[in-house]
Amino acid sequence: MPILSFHICAGTIGLLSGAFGIAVRKGSRQHRVAGNVFLVSMLSLAVSAVYLSFMKHQISNVFGGTLTFYMVATAWLTARRREGGTGIFDYVALLVALAVGVCEVTYGSEAALSPTGLKDGYSPGVYFGSGFVALLPVAGDVRMIVRGGIFGAQRIARHVWRMCIALFVASGSFFLGQQQVFPAAVRNTPVLPILTFLPIVMMIFWLLRVGLTKAYKGKWMPRGGDGSSLQT
């Protein structure tokens, strides 16, 4: 199917651009370029994943695609706009993530109560874990809306961890979900799990750097007509 080829290409570009973007300094020109490529590729990946999941009647994967779209979109908006302030998009995104989280928890409960201990081939732990990942940013969205926006280093941290979670979803889907495309010698080594969880390791590194150092204490303000941002 052409849509499947499109999905694979988008995922490959997303993994490569995400890996590059997470490795370079946040706010640099290289980071912004990689971030734009990552944005387009990951949104394309998420939309195509939702479509393919509907075609295959894999509703649980629809949740994953929707959550990935939400993570990338809200991370991008966080870095793009000025500090403080919220808009209608924030409320809509909150409701979408909340709906995904509730559905994941519901499916987890149904899996736990089913005779096989599964729901659409997945165990309760998978659904509850995904539900937690969906509901955690919901709490952050509520806090941001109540405070009237997000500022300083917290703004950068919000951008970083949401992008990294989206990259983790992509890496897990590829390195662990498609192990059959790798040589058997690689499948029997820690290489694939390491590559899968590398975005989480990098996320922790950057969150510590943002939170514990003065490197990102300045404000990030839009620069120029393209909305790109620069640390001051």
Side-chain angles (χ1 to χ4, degrees), residues 50-120:
V50 170
Y51 175 80
L52 289 170
S53 298
F54 269 122
M55 293 291 292
K56 297 179 180 180
H57 304 287
Q58 298 173 341
I59 302 302
S60 56
N61 290 334
V62 172
F63 302 150
T66 304
L67 182 62
T68 300
F69 190 100
Y70 157 82
M71 284 291 198
V72 175
T74 54
W76 170 79
L77 184 62
T78 298
R80 180 177 174 83
R81 68 186 180 190
R82 297 177 181 273
E83 290 196 335
T86 57
I88 186 64
F89 177 84
D90 298 299
Y91 292 90
V92 174
L94 186 155
L95 293 177
V96 169
L98 179 62
V100 171
V102 171
C103 290
E104 292 279 15
V105 172
T106 301
Y107 268 48
S109 300
E110 292 178 358
L113 296 175
S114 70
T116 61
L118 300 173
K119 173 72 174 179
D120 290 346

Side-chain angles (χ1 to χ4, degrees), residues 5-15 40-46 48:
S5 299
F6 175 79
H7 177 75
I8 294 172
C9 290
T12 302
I13 296 173
L15 286 172
V40 175
S41 59
M42 288 300 294
L43 292 183
S44 301
L45 176 72
S48 57

Side-chain angles (χ1 to χ4, degrees), residues 27-45:
S28 66
R29 182 177 180 277
Q30 294 87 347
H31 176 74
R32 292 196 298 271
V33 172
N36 289 334
V37 175
F38 182 75
L39 170 71
V40 175
S41 59
M42 288 300 294
L43 292 183
S44 301
L45 176 72

Side-chain angles (χ1 to χ4, degrees), residues 152-173:
Q154 291 183 350
R155 180 185 178 194
I156 309 306
R158 173 185 168 92
H159 170 76
V160 168
W161 90 264
R162 288 173 183 247
M163 283 295 196
C164 286
I165 291 296
L167 182 59
F168 170 67
V169 172
S171 64
S173 299

Side-chain angles (χ1 to χ4, degrees), residues 111-191:
L113 296 175
S114 70
T116 61
L118 300 173
K119 173 72 174 179
D120 290 346
Y122 294 99
S123 65
V126 173
Y127 289 113
F128 289 137
S130 300
F132 173 79
V133 172
L135 294 176
L136 183 61
V138 168
D141 288 350
V142 171
R143 183 170 180 266
M144 180 188 70
I145 291 174
V146 170
R147 294 183 60 191
I150 192 166
F151 309 87
Q154 291 183 350
R155 180 185 178 194
I156 309 306
R158 173 185 168 92
H159 170 76
V160 168
W161 90 264
R162 288 173 183 247
M163 283 295 196
C164 286
I165 291 296
L167 182 59
F168 170 67
V169 172
S171 64
S173 299
F174 179 61
F175 294 117
L176 295 184
Q178 304 296 328
Q179 294 189 46
Q180 70 277 4
V181 304
F182 296 97
V186 176
R187 280 179 259 162
N188 297 325
T189 67
V191 172

Side-chain angles (χ1 to χ4, degrees), residues 27-30 32 79-82 155 220-232:
S28 66
R29 182 177 180 277
Q30 294 87 347
R32 292 196 298 271
R80 180 177 174 83
R81 68 186 180 190
R82 297 177 181 273
R155 180 185 178 194
W220 287 55
M221 302 297 292
R223 181 183 67 178
D226 61 351
S228 59
S229 54
L230 175 69
Q231 185 182 0
T232 61

